[in-house]
Amino acid sequence: LHSGSRGLMQTVCLCLHVGACPALLALQEEERHLRDLEENRGVSLRVQLAAAPASADAASSRGIKRAADKLQLPPSVGESLMSQNAPKNGAMLFEVAASNGGRTHAGVLEFSAPEGVVLLPEKVATCLWGLPSTGSGSDGGSSSYTGSAAHQAGAGSPAAAAGPSSSGSRCSGQVWVRYVRLPKGTYVRFQPELRAFHDVVGSDPEVLRSSLEQCLLGYCTLSQGDWVQVPYAGETYSLRVLEVQPGGAVSVIDTDIAADVGPSIETEGYLRAQEEAAARDAERQ
């Protein structure tokens, strides 16, 4: 676009493509890179990788601690981080984001995944794509995950190549993995999926405290919106992370963290149904 001003010719380049402007995307990426360097003390890494399920015994067979949310990343990612001296910041932690809007954080188990692939443990897959399909809950709702990311990975895909896994049917597509530094957590508020958690675990404060402690000892991070699994007396209970402080995503490594547990999703659904029924009855009168 040309415009005359006092006899001078000015040229302005307008980007009218339907998609995002490459120049604008490049500028945004450079700004993100500089921001990451500042926040991460000179370390910046953001890569798009094909998601595939990790083997359930990848870490347990080796006695590795806090392995429930540890990724397996390609060697090239490890080389990039080591060249930037990322270990100076302590445990290496990452933001993981899926195309469906799911976002969580994780540690790293090892840099041994095939190039272009990230192997996700079940906890990370659940946080990105929802709880595994379990059918209808006792409140009449369904806790099964539905959405475009829930299709079964086809033969020849990274997910298929990784072998059988309970997260295999959900863990597919591309995810962004970004190196981050997280503050140590000070507070978390959980919401159980089912009322049974309160009846069985929450009825005894000491049992509740020890169960949550053992659960969190398996993780490196917590993010708002995460799901965690609390085993007790042969059962496993799913709890959603409603809130974490500070900042919505934290490290739970070597820290003391206060925890609250609110009413279950099942209980809230039941109470909501009762209120709606009462309102309908009032309208009829």
Side-chain angles (χ1 to χ4, degrees), residues 221-246:
T221 70
L222 282 179
S223 310
Q224 185 172 317
D226 276 2
W227 287 94
V228 300
Q229 307 299 315
V230 179
Y232 180 74
E235 298 290 338
T236 299
Y237 301 92
S238 296
L239 277 65
R240 183 169 59 182
V241 178
L242 290 184
E243 179 185 358
V244 290
Q245 295 178 5

Side-chain angles (χ1 to χ4, degrees), residues 53 149-153 159 165-172:
H151 66 275
Q152 178 67 41
S165 169
S166 57
S167 63
S169 61
R170 300 172 295 133
C171 186
S172 60

Side-chain angles (χ1 to χ4, degrees), residues 79-272:
E79 292 168 3
S80 175
L81 290 170
M82 294 304 173
S83 70
Q84 300 177 73
N85 195 23
K88 70 184 178 185
N89 292 330
M92 286 185 277
L93 304 176
F94 303 86
E95 177 190 73
V96 187
S99 59
N100 66 348
R103 184 182 72 97
T104 188
H105 293 79
V108 59
L109 179 65
E110 57 191 8
F111 298 101
S112 62
E115 287 297 337
V117 175
V118 55
L119 301 181
L120 307 180
E122 176 67 20
K123 187 263 185 182
V124 175
T126 295
C127 293
L128 292 176
W129 291 291
L131 291 172
S133 178
T134 57
S136 296
S138 57
D139 63 346
S142 175
S143 61
S144 61
Y145 167 75
T146 58
S148 60
H151 66 275
Q152 178 67 41
S157 70
S165 169
S166 57
S167 63
S169 61
R170 300 172 295 133
C171 186
S172 60
Q174 300 286 314
V175 297
W176 283 100
V177 177
R178 183 170 72 96
Y179 173 86
V180 294
R181 292 176 66 222
L182 294 178
K184 290 186 179 294
T186 58
Y187 174 78
V188 57
R189 180 160 59 98
F190 294 109
Q191 181 179 37
E193 180 192 17
L194 302 177
R195 185 180 60 191
F197 178 82
H198 284 294
D199 296 338
V200 177
V201 182
S203 59
D204 185 328
E206 184 58 30
V207 170
L208 176 63
R209 183 191 63 79
S210 62
S211 297
L212 291 177
E213 282 183 353
Q214 285 301 119
C215 165
L216 295 184
L217 285 173
Y219 303 131
C220 299
T221 70
L222 282 179
S223 310
Q224 185 172 317
D226 276 2
W227 287 94
V228 300
Q229 307 299 315
V230 179
Y232 180 74
E235 298 290 338
T236 299
Y237 301 92
S238 296
L239 277 65
R240 183 169 59 182
V241 178
L242 290 184
E243 179 185 358
V244 290
Q245 295 178 5
V250 299
S251 166
V252 293
I253 300 173
D254 297 331
T255 186
D256 293 326
I257 187 166
D260 287 332
V261 181
S264 69
I265 296 173
E266 180 183 3
T267 296
E268 286 190 345
Y270 173 79
L271 294 176
R272 186 165 52 249

Side-chain angles (χ1 to χ4, degrees), residues 33-87:
H33 172 68
L34 294 175
R35 186 170 59 251
D36 281 355
L37 286 175
E38 181 178 357
E39 294 177 353
N40 299 329
R41 298 179 60 204
V43 181
S44 176
L45 179 131
R46 182 172 180 261
V47 291
Q48 190 174 36
L49 301 169
S55 169
D57 61 356
S60 59
S61 61
R62 295 152 56 186
I64 296 176
K65 297 180 179 179
R66 299 187 182 274
D69 62 347
K70 284 186 174 177
L71 313 172
Q72 295 177 58
L73 291 163
S76 60
V77 171
E79 292 168 3
S80 175
L81 290 170
M82 294 304 173
S83 70
Q84 300 177 73
N85 195 23

